Amino acid sequence: MISKNLVKKVHQLSMKKYRDLTHLFVGEGPKICRDLLGKSRVETVLCTDEFDAAGFPGDKVVLVSEEELRKVSFLQHPQQVLCVFHQMEPAIAISDVVAQSIDHLTLVLDGVQDPGNMGTIIRIADWFGVEHIICSHQCADVWNNKVVQATMGSIARVTIHYTDLIALMQSKPKDVPVYGTLLDGEPLGTHPLSRGGLLVMGNEGKGISNDLRPYIDHPILIPSYPEGRETADSLNVGVATAIMCHEFRRNAQI
């Protein structure tokens, strides 16, 4: 039996102010919860009899009915288990991440606000072996339940940092290149890509902010085909991120 206080506590975690206050977040479904197991400390596990709770702390497991799980779940179709986890703190300073980017690709997100896009980009980063994402304070909260679900468990393997991007660019080592997708950039495939660097992806509607553009050393355009054909104004930021990450990884193998 699930208590009213526990239902209230989980529902409050849909709001950023309570996530910031408690340093907790919600993950749902067997895959996400198991991926996070061992990476994030478990606060509570709500699961039905069908879920195999092996590996989860026994004193944290609360058996609930499917009806009770539906009442507390953020999903339209609950998936046997909902876990409340402690938020994971980065184990490395942002300055060290930037310094290491001379040899390792790091994503920089400038105002990506849609939770679905944010989660998708984290999943893309995980696929292409990008271990760190640096976000502006205007980006969606990574612990938002919609972001967590969209990562499909990749949140367990990609570290997210939030900072002032202008200050970051002003203090970064000069030998760390900065790439960014811009409509006035050089077509992808015609501009050489380095092994590492900072790859800036912009807001869904506005792209990379005007204040940040002067720091882009290598502006890149993802061209549409064929040249001159009327087409969409832009690509979804998640799609654009996947294309860019693929090109960086392909270039590293050449």
Side-chain angles (χ1 to χ4, degrees), residues 91-240:
I92 181 173
I94 294 177
S95 58
D96 292 333
V97 172
V98 174
Q100 293 174 9
S101 296
I102 188 68
D103 295 313
H104 301 279
L105 182 63
T106 298
L107 287 177
V108 177
L109 304 185
D110 180 22
V112 174
Q113 297 177 334
D114 181 80
N117 285 337
M118 186 73 167
T120 297
I121 290 171
I122 294 170
R123 190 176 177 184
I124 290 166
D126 186 23
W127 182 263
F128 285 104
V130 177
E131 297 181 353
H132 296 273
I133 299 177
I134 301 173
C135 303
S136 70
H137 293 300
Q138 291 72 42
C139 285
D141 178 22
V142 67
W143 307 117
N144 180 315
N145 56 286
K146 292 181 179 179
V147 175
V148 174
Q149 292 306 122
T151 71
M152 291 297 292
S154 291
I155 188 64
R157 293 175 291 275
V158 180
T159 302
I160 313 299
H161 310 260
Y162 287 86
T163 193
D164 181 324
L165 296 187
I166 301 299
L168 180 146
M169 294 298 176
Q170 291 175 342
S171 62
K172 77 170 186 68
K174 293 182 179 180
D175 57 348
V176 174
V178 181
Y179 297 83
T181 51
L182 294 169
L183 292 177
D184 58 353
E186 295 185 40
L188 186 63
T190 64
H191 187 90
L193 303 177
S194 57
R195 180 178 180 82
L198 302 176
L199 172 58
V200 182
M201 306 301 297
N203 172 267
E204 289 87 349
K206 301 177 181 178
I208 297 173
S209 60
N210 290 332
D211 290 342
L212 198 59
R213 291 188 184 196
Y215 298 96
I216 307 297
D217 304 323
H218 308 278
I220 304 293
L221 167 69
I222 301 174
S224 58
Y225 292 91
E227 186 177 352
R229 172 180 171 271
E230 184 177 355
T231 185
D233 292 336
S234 62
L235 285 173
N236 170 273
V237 64
V239 173

Side-chain angles (χ1 to χ4, degrees), residues 14-15 39-40 58-59 67 69 73 76 87 107 129 134 143-144 149 186 196 203-204 218 234 237-238 247 252 254:
S14 67
M15 294 178 280
K39 301 291 181 66
S40 178
D59 60 332
E67 181 179 354
L69 192 59
S73 174
Q76 186 175 359
Q87 296 178 12
L107 287 177
I134 301 173
W143 307 117
N144 180 315
Q149 292 306 122
E186 295 185 40
N203 172 267
E204 289 87 349
H218 308 278
S234 62
V237 64
E247 282 300 299
I254 297 175

